[in-house]
Amino acid sequence: MAQLSDDCFAFGGELLGVDAAIALIEARISPVVDQEIVPLAAAAGRILARDLVARIDVPPHANSAVDGFAIVHADVHSEGDTVLPVTGRAAAGHPLGRIVGRGEAIRIFTGAPMPQGADTVMMQEDCVVEGDRVRLKPGIRQGANRRHAGEDVARGALALAAGRRLKPADLGLAAALGNDTVPVFRPLRVALLSTGDEVCEPGAPLAPGAIYDANRVMLAALLRGLGCAVSDLGIRPDRAAALADTLAAASAGHDLIVTSGGVSTGDEDHVRTAIEKLGRLDFWRLAIKPGRPVALGQVRGVPLVGLPGNPVAAALTFAILARPLILRLSGASIAPPLSFPVAAGFSYRKKQGRREYLRATLARENGTVVARKYPKDGAGILSSIVQSDGFVILDESVSDFVSGTIVDFLPFSEVFGS
Ligand code: AMP
Ligand code: MG
């Protein structure tokens, strides 16, 4: 198991751009999870730990793509019909078993190995059977309806790259290559807790001044979506000593600790005090809006991500920073989330130099896709995510713009899924 260096989250600057933050994660963080071999049938959603190289060709043999007649193309007259005797049969799983010579037609079915010597298959719809002979139309291309061995994956080729989260089609491909097991990374074990004296468990009566914990259930679902095994440590009060005990205990048996709340610079920021007692804490102030600093540290060698308490800020910083960090710790490769251009259905005033993430829905208007901004922006307005489809990302260089300007749209599915 890889160990992170003590100062892997150290960062001297004031404000950190999103791209620079992701580059730092890629450069400094390595997978911390061991590998295990699992049955292919249980591998959906797991992260492939080693490159899967094809040991055979897929398909393993040249075969017919249709039901019809396998022929030697040179036998087909270029003008007028050709009549050939039907001299054999090849079905899927039942090869002809001999070499085809000139002047023969072999009855063949989809998936049947191409008989050696034949190079073309005439679809049965283009043939007329006349007793034990078959009449072929002119004009077929040489090699038509023949699938080559290895045309899907050639032996020796990289079929699936390490770091990939295995999707259903990946399992199909691994199976087509003959694998019944795959090497995957063990799930990242994550301890999750909320902090705050005011934060209260849903279902319990709400005391004066209290609020229900919105973050924990949301973050647990996001973590599970990334394949993590989550330990729910509940809600912890704003007491540094108690928090330190909780974090110290969590550092045993977990690969990562995720907290929310208590990490800004106010007096009531006890997570910070607690971590500084146990290990090291760095703050990454991302140049984003909405954005609060995210605390990154280590508790007895176990990395910790301290997300802001406001639910929108927690979700956004999870998407931007925690997600790539978690993917990296989990052994997954980090593909940049795919955003696409849409027309802004609103005008906007923006300061240059930071990246803004507006919540927006998509609609079709006169044949174009338009992003409509959610009217309330506050970092505590979780409805802005619930009622939206994704983020409009306004890059550092963008300033004020008018409705109709092309902006970048990032669907939530890109960052709030796997
Ligand atoms: P903090 O980051 O602790 O300063 O909290 C910032 C804001 O987020 C405060 O209004 C908190 O009450 C709120 N908050 C903190 N944790 C949660 C939580 N788990 N669920 C909902 N709101 C929270
Ligand atoms: Mg708090």
Side-chain angles (χ1 to χ4, degrees):
M1 178 153 60
Q3 274 293 320
L4 299 179
S5 77
D6 242 14
D7 60 351
C8 68
F9 295 122
F11 155 66
E14 252 292 277
L15 264 187
L16 189 56
V18 175
D19 297 334
I22 291 165
L24 272 184
I25 288 170
E26 292 204 18
R28 296 194 189 165
I29 308 300
S30 40
V32 294
V33 281
D34 298 320
Q35 303 180 10
E36 60 185 355
I37 305 286
V38 297
L40 194 56
R46 302 293 299 273
I47 293 157
L48 190 63
R50 290 197 296 274
D51 285 348
L52 194 77
V53 173
R55 280 171 300 165
I56 58 164
D57 280 333
V58 175
H61 45 75
N63 66 94
S64 178
V66 296
D67 293 341
F69 293 86
I71 52 168
V72 181
H73 187 261
D75 287 340
V76 183
H77 305 313
S78 53
E79 279 161 36
D81 290 353
T82 306
V83 178
L84 294 172
V86 180
T87 52
R89 189 176 192 277
H94 302 279
L96 178 69
R98 67 172 174 83
I99 297 176
V100 174
R102 296 290 305 263
E104 291 191 69
I106 305 298
R107 181 71 171 122
I108 197 164
F109 300 92
T110 306
M114 233 9 230
Q116 216 186 319
D119 58 4
T120 303
V121 180
M122 194 83 161
M123 269 174 89
Q124 63 189 20
E125 289 81 350
D126 297 331
C127 303
V128 181
V129 177
E130 298 174 347
D132 55 4
R133 299 194 308 167
V134 63
R135 176 178 296 273
L136 316 172
K137 287 186 203 157
I140 192 164
R141 176 181 55 80
Q142 186 183 17
N145 302 317
R146 173 190 54 177
R147 301 167 174 157
H148 293 281
E151 72 174 20
D152 185 353
V153 186
R155 186 174 159 202
L158 174 64
L160 298 169
R164 196 180 162 88
R165 192 179 299 282
L166 293 169
K167 300 185 196 57
D170 299 351
L171 303 185
L173 192 62
L177 289 162
N179 299 281
D180 61 343
T181 60
V182 272
V184 295
F185 286 111
R186 179 176 58 64
L188 197 72
R189 295 163 306 177
V190 182
L192 174 67
L193 60 140
S194 294
T195 71
D197 285 347
E198 80 284 27
V199 181
C200 165
E201 197 66 63
L206 200 60
I211 55 162
Y212 286 123
D213 185 354
N215 290 344
R216 212 166 85 249
V217 71
M218 171 178 77
L219 293 170
L222 286 168
L223 288 163
R224 291 196 182 101
L226 293 178
C228 300
V230 180
S231 307
D232 185 348
L233 302 191
I235 302 163
R236 298 296 150 141
D238 285 321
R239 282 203 310 279
L243 266 171
D245 291 346
T246 300
L247 296 177
S251 68
H254 293 103
D255 306 304
L256 174 69
I257 302 168
V258 175
T259 67
S260 75
V263 287
S264 42
T265 40
D267 292 344
E268 296 289 324
D269 294 324
H270 307 280
V271 172
R272 171 181 203 157
T273 321
I275 298 166
E276 276 166 352
K277 270 174 76 175
L278 295 167
R280 163 173 191 140
L281 191 67
D282 295 286
F283 279 87
W284 285 16
R285 266 186 71 217
L286 293 176
I288 62 171
K289 185 189 172 188
R292 297 297 297 255
V294 177
L296 291 162
Q298 302 216 22
V299 174
R300 301 198 168 147
V302 173
L304 177 144
V305 180
L307 298 171
N310 275 309
V312 174
L316 178 66
T317 50
F318 183 93
I320 303 306
L321 200 65
R323 179 178 175 275
L325 174 67
I326 288 163
L327 290 176
R328 190 79 178 168
L329 290 168
S330 306
S333 44
I334 312 176
L338 185 66
S339 56
F340 51 84
V342 298
F346 55 93
S347 306
Y348 197 69
R349 298 192 71 88
K350 178 180 173 293
K351 265 200 218 155
Q352 276 184 316
R354 66 182 180 194
R355 197 175 285 191
E356 294 198 20
Y357 293 81
L358 311 177
R359 278 78 72 203
T361 48
L362 292 184
R364 253 187 107 101
E365 280 176 19
N366 307 321
T368 30
V369 180
V370 172
R372 297 205 187 112
K373 184 174 120 33
Y374 190 80
K376 293 184 213 160
D377 293 321
I381 310 274
L382 202 47
S383 307
S384 69
I385 294 180
V386 172
Q387 302 296 340
S388 298
D389 301 321
F391 294 114
V392 164
I393 304 178
L394 305 174
D395 252 2
E396 289 82 349
S397 62
V398 173
S399 56
D400 300 356
F401 61 87
V402 293
S403 179
T405 303
I406 300 299
V407 292
D408 227 13
F409 184 82
L410 177 68
F412 286 150
S413 56
E414 284 288 303
V415 287
F416 291 155
S418 59

